[in-house]
């Protein structure tokens, strides 16, 4: 079996193998990408295995799909004051900031030193099959700084290093967090002397896009490729003996929003390592109407959930989540009143064809994850008729009363789909619900108002997220080809914060002022020093603990 071909071919399934509380067992024959002691990625031929659904495979085994979280910042967050303060003059020297994104325009001046050499120490292009994969990986091509500098000094750089960024999101994120000063463009990144690492993520395979009914023009990445990218960034930082900030500007609505899916678990582990920090975007689902909070009262037999489906929607899914030991079952009622009854048991599922709508609906019940035992009811609608679809949720015991339902990201849908009675809270995207990393929402620094789309807390298991908010409206950054643009979203806020964290790591670890500082300590310090409005009660579901102010953090250090 050609394992590299299996990684790229749509004829192979990608599965996340989880080894928490169990021994490592790999199906044979199979291609395997080793990640760590907890996870492997397994590639299996589709023709030899059952159809893709959560009846045949565990929920966490099927990779989730993630999208970029986008649609004056440094001054508002106190970062420029740290750069310009004569004694501190912090600019990220000696710190590595890693990105998992669409690639990087490595020829751009914002990623070069004053002598023209690159500030990028490593790039892993998962889409490029022409070069050599990084050590320990079975796909993609890696390019190090020596090779990048050789390309920059040549007449045709792309012949030596073919990395590009067609989307522009990765270039923008890296520039906001770590871009060099370009005085004629009035631009400087948050940590302009830091080193940069980029993982250009491979687009999701077509079979997964079809399974999740994802729009053809959506930018989509697979969970397993993102997890492999996390491993690469950690490996590179360890080799270079550098503190690492991992900047995650991606998200999804798939999962229970409790921080225990595979990617969240992996990022949680990274955030707990010494000399590591993880910064994650809270997502842009705050006003999407894609979250429903169900609470069944004592006098209610069921809770009715109405979903408005627009015209020409190819399909969509809804995930009903309940924390253990609660258990629920559902039935589905079409716009014409035809009913798919809840006659099946708590494990397994069935398909139902609605005669008058020409719509196929499947409902699958699973217990998802070893860590929390949550129930997920995965409901898939294929060619749904326009109108109001009703999901009736029935409790299966007296202790079953509260559940959440999430619809796909707005970017994934092929038309309008939303809850008639939606709930704006618990709209943080996954993996931002992970406990240890910093979760960053976005606000408009021009009037200190929340960015309307910024994901709101708290998590489904009650963790206070976002931790804080950072400037995320019309943030100025680089685009491929030497251009500059403004973007809005929690991705931008995450990039600003990542650069600020790099400044703290420079002061603490590189300069030796606080050599034992950890990512958790940095998060707690940023929470403590955040700007808070006296008329607001904290923690706040939109603002978390307040607005990022890195300069005040150093003032607090001085007082201590």
């Amino acid at each position: 079996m050609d394992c590299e071909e299996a990684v790229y071919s749509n004829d192979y399934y990608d599965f996340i193998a989880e080894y928490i509380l169990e021994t490592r067992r790999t199906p044979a024959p199979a291609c395997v990408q080793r990640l760590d002691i907890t996870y492997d990625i397994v590639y299996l031929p589709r023709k030899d295995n059952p159809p893709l659904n959560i009846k045949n495979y565990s929920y966490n085994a099927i990779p989730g799909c993630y999208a970029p979280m986008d649609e004056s910042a440094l001054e508002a967050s106190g970062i420029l004051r740290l750069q310009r303060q004569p004694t501190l003059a912090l600019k990220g020297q000696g710190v590595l900031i890693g990105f998992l994104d669409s690639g990087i325009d490595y020829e751009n001046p914002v990623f070069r030193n004053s002598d023209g050499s690159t500030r990028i120490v490593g790039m892993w292009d998962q889409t490029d099959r022409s070069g050599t994969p990084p050590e320990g990986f079975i796909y993609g091509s890696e390019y190090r700084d020596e090779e990048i500098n050789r390309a920059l000094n040549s007449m045709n750089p792309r012949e030596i290093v073919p990395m590009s960024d067609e989307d522009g999101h990765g270039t923008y994120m890296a520039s906001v967090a770590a871009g060099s000063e370009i005085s004629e463009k009035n631009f400087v990144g948050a940590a302009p002397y830091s080193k940069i690492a980029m993982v250009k993520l491979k687009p999701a395979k077509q079979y997964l896009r079809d399974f999740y009914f994802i729009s053809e023009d959506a930018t989509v990445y697979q969970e397993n490729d993102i997890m492999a990218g996390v491993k690469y960034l950690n490996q590179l930082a360890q080799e270079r003996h550098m503190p690492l900030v991992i900047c995650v500007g991606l998200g999804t609505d798939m999962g229970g929003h409790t921080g225990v899916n595979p990617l969240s678990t992996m990022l949680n582990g990274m955030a707990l390592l010494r000399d590591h920090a993880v910064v994650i975007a809270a997502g842009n689902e705050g006003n999407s109407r894609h979250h429903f909070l169900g609470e069944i009262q004592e006098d209610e037999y069921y809770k009715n959930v109405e979903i408005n489906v627009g015209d020409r929607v190819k399909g969509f899914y809804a995930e009903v989540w309940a924390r253990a030991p609660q258990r629920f079952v559902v039935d589905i009622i079409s716009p014409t009143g035809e009913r798919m009854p809840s006659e099946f048991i708590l494990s397994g599922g069935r398909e139902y064809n609605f005669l008058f709508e020409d719509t196929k609906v499947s409902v699958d019940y699973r217990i998802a994850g070893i860590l929390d035992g949550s129930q997920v009811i995965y409901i898939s609608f294929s060619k749904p008729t326009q109108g109001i679809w009703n999901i009736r949720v029935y409790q299966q015991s007296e202790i079953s009363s509260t559940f959440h339902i999430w619809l796909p990201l707005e970017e994934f849908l092929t038309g309008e789909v939303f809850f008639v009675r939606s709930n704006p809270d618990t709209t943080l995207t996954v993996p931002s619900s992970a406990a240890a990393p910093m979760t960053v929402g976005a606000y408009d620094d021009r009037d200190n108002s929340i960015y309307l789309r910024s994901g709101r807390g708290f998590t489904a298991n009650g963790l206070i997220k976002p931790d804080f908010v950072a400037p995320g409206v019309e943030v100025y950054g680089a685009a491929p080809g030497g251009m500059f643009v403004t973007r809005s979203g929690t991705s931008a806020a995450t990039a600003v914060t990542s650069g600020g964290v790099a400044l703290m790591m420079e002061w603490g670890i590189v300069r030796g002022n606080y050599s034992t500082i950890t990512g958790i300590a940095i998060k707690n310090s940023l929470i403590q020093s955040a700007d808070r409005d006296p008329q607001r009660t904290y923690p706040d579901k939109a603002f978390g603990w307040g607005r990022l102010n890195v300069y005040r953090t150093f003032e607090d250090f001085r007082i201590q």
Side-chain angles (χ1 to χ4, degrees):
M1 182 185 297
D2 183 346
C3 286
E4 184 194 41
E5 180 62 27
V7 172
Y8 294 97
S9 174
N10 197 53
D11 294 331
Y12 287 80
Y13 287 137
D14 300 19
F15 292 118
I16 299 172
E18 190 171 24
Y19 302 112
I20 298 174
L21 303 181
E22 61 179 85
T23 57
R24 188 182 295 270
R25 296 193 299 269
T26 300
C31 290
V32 178
Q33 171 63 66
R34 303 291 184 190
L35 291 185
D36 55 27
I37 61 172
T38 304
Y39 298 107
D40 285 341
I41 308 303
V42 179
Y43 303 91
L44 296 174
R46 291 175 61 188
K47 63 181 179 62
D48 299 333
N49 289 277
L52 193 69
N53 55 55
I54 68 170
K55 288 199 304 287
N56 297 326
Y57 308 97
S58 70
Y59 177 87
N60 284 339
I62 302 173
C65 285
Y66 291 69
M69 292 293 99
D70 262 343
E71 232 194 278
S72 69
L74 301 187
E75 188 68 55
S77 55
I79 290 172
L80 280 183
R81 294 180 69 186
L82 288 175
Q83 292 180 359
R84 295 169 179 170
Q85 209 280 341
T87 304
L88 292 174
L90 295 169
K91 297 188 177 181
Q93 186 84 39
V95 179
L96 179 64
I97 307 181
F99 303 88
L100 308 143
D101 222 293
S102 61
I104 189 168
D105 177 19
Y106 70 88
E107 297 178 72
N108 199 306
V110 297
F111 305 124
R112 300 206 209 181
N113 297 303
S114 57
D115 63 0
S117 61
T118 188
R119 290 177 40 235
I120 304 170
V121 299
M123 306 187 301
W124 178 27
D125 188 345
Q126 295 182 347
T127 70
D128 180 9
R129 303 177 66 176
S130 65
T132 303
E135 183 179 353
F137 293 86
I138 61 175
Y139 66 109
S141 300
E142 182 187 27
Y143 301 97
R144 294 293 185 95
D145 45 5
E146 301 89 348
E147 207 166 2
I148 298 169
N149 282 325
R150 184 159 57 87
L152 292 174
N153 291 322
S154 70
M155 294 294 295
N156 298 298
R158 297 296 170 88
E159 291 184 359
I160 299 172
V161 177
M163 165 81 81
S164 61
D165 181 11
E166 297 84 1
D167 181 273
H169 189 263
T171 296
Y172 172 82
M173 292 286 288
S175 72
V176 171
S180 300
E181 184 173 9
I182 308 295
S183 55
E184 61 270 25
K185 296 292 186 179
N186 194 30
F187 174 81
V188 64
Y193 288 0
S194 63
K195 297 297 184 181
I196 300 167
M198 174 61 71
V199 177
K200 180 176 181 177
L201 296 168
K202 178 173 64 65
K205 290 183 178 180
Q206 188 61 47
Y207 83 84
L208 269 182
R209 299 177 72 106
D210 293 341
F211 179 68
Y212 293 122
F213 304 105
I214 294 175
S215 169
E216 292 181 4
D217 56 359
T219 300
V220 188
Y221 306 114
Q222 293 183 199
E223 184 175 13
N224 55 299
D225 289 323
I226 302 170
M227 293 171 69
V230 172
K231 175 185 177 180
Y232 170 77
L233 295 176
N234 179 57
Q235 188 171 288
L236 185 61
Q238 290 182 332
E239 178 187 320
R240 297 280 177 142
H241 305 288
M242 297 179 73
L244 172 65
V245 182
I246 300 178
C247 178
V248 184
L250 307 169
T252 185
D253 259 351
M254 301 172 186
H257 296 65
T258 56
V260 297
N261 75 309
L263 178 58
S264 298
T265 301
M266 191 175 194
L267 290 171
N268 207 58
M270 286 290 157
L272 294 171
L273 294 177
R274 183 178 177 181
D275 299 348
H276 284 56
V278 179
V279 187
I280 306 176
N284 303 328
E285 288 285 290
N287 69 339
S288 66
R289 306 184 72 178
H290 289 166
H291 170 245
F292 182 90
L293 173 62
E295 296 180 279
I296 300 178
Q297 305 301 320
E298 289 185 10
D299 59 345
E300 290 182 315
Y301 181 49
Y302 61 84
K303 179 66 71 174
N304 191 63
V305 183
E306 298 167 302
I307 301 178
N308 186 85
V309 179
D311 188 27
R312 299 180 181 178
V313 174
K314 180 173 68 173
F316 69 96
Y317 59 85
E319 294 186 1
V320 183
W321 285 86
R323 296 182 64 190
Q326 299 182 112
R327 296 292 180 260
F328 297 88
V329 295
V330 300
D331 61 25
I332 315 294
I333 301 174
S334 75
T336 63
E338 190 176 356
R339 181 183 176 192
M340 176 185 183
S342 55
E343 58 189 30
F344 32 89
I345 58 175
L346 291 174
S347 179
R350 62 174 285 192
E351 290 184 352
Y352 188 88
N353 291 300
F354 286 84
L355 179 64
F356 294 107
E357 281 80 7
D358 189 28
T359 298
K360 182 173 76 174
V361 175
S362 64
V363 179
D364 294 307
Y365 295 82
R366 296 289 293 207
I367 303 304
I370 298 170
L371 291 177
D372 63 354
S374 294
Q375 180 192 31
V376 57
I377 307 174
Y378 189 88
I379 309 170
S380 174
F381 296 79
S382 180
K383 297 193 298 182
T385 296
Q386 183 178 6
I388 302 295
W389 286 80
N390 289 270
I391 301 175
R392 288 182 177 176
V393 183
Y394 300 84
Q395 56 190 146
Q396 288 299 289
S397 67
E398 293 182 358
I399 61 173
S400 300
S401 61
T402 304
F403 61 90
H404 297 266
I405 311 179
W406 286 277
L407 295 171
L409 295 179
E410 193 170 326
E411 294 87 341
F412 289 175
L413 292 166
T414 55
E416 193 172 53
V417 181
F418 60 86
F419 290 112
V420 173
R421 294 172 293 123
S422 63
N423 182 287
D425 299 328
T426 324
T427 49
L428 298 157
T429 51
V430 175
S432 69
S433 50
M438 299 170 223
T439 300
V440 185
Y443 79 100
D444 189 339
D445 62 286
R446 296 169 297 188
D447 60 5
N448 291 341
S449 63
I450 198 69
Y451 173 57
L452 187 61
R453 295 185 63 192
S454 184
R456 293 169 56 93
F458 300 134
T459 69
N461 54 343
L463 292 178
I464 297 171
K465 295 285 181 172
D467 294 294
F468 46 79
V469 296
V473 177
E474 296 187 14
V475 178
Y476 189 52
M483 305 292 289
F484 284 83
V485 297
T486 59
R487 289 182 182 237
S488 298
T490 55
S491 278
T494 301
V496 171
T497 303
S498 296
V501 171
L503 303 188
M504 296 184 68
M505 283 187 156
E506 178 191 1
W507 178 81
I509 299 171
V510 179
R511 297 189 184 183
N513 293 302
Y514 190 169
S515 59
T516 60
I517 196 168
T518 63
I520 301 296
I522 290 173
K523 178 179 76 169
N524 292 337
S525 297
L526 292 174
I527 288 172
Q528 181 68 34
S529 62
D531 290 331
R532 287 181 269 273
D533 299 322
Q535 69 273 21
R536 192 179 300 278
T537 301
Y538 296 91
D540 181 87
K541 290 184 177 180
F543 285 85
W545 290 105
R547 303 188 307 275
L548 176 69
N549 188 334
V550 185
Y551 190 84
R552 177 177 287 178
T553 303
F554 280 89
E555 290 183 322
D556 291 345
F557 282 150
R558 180 178 61 186
I559 294 171
Q560 294 172 6

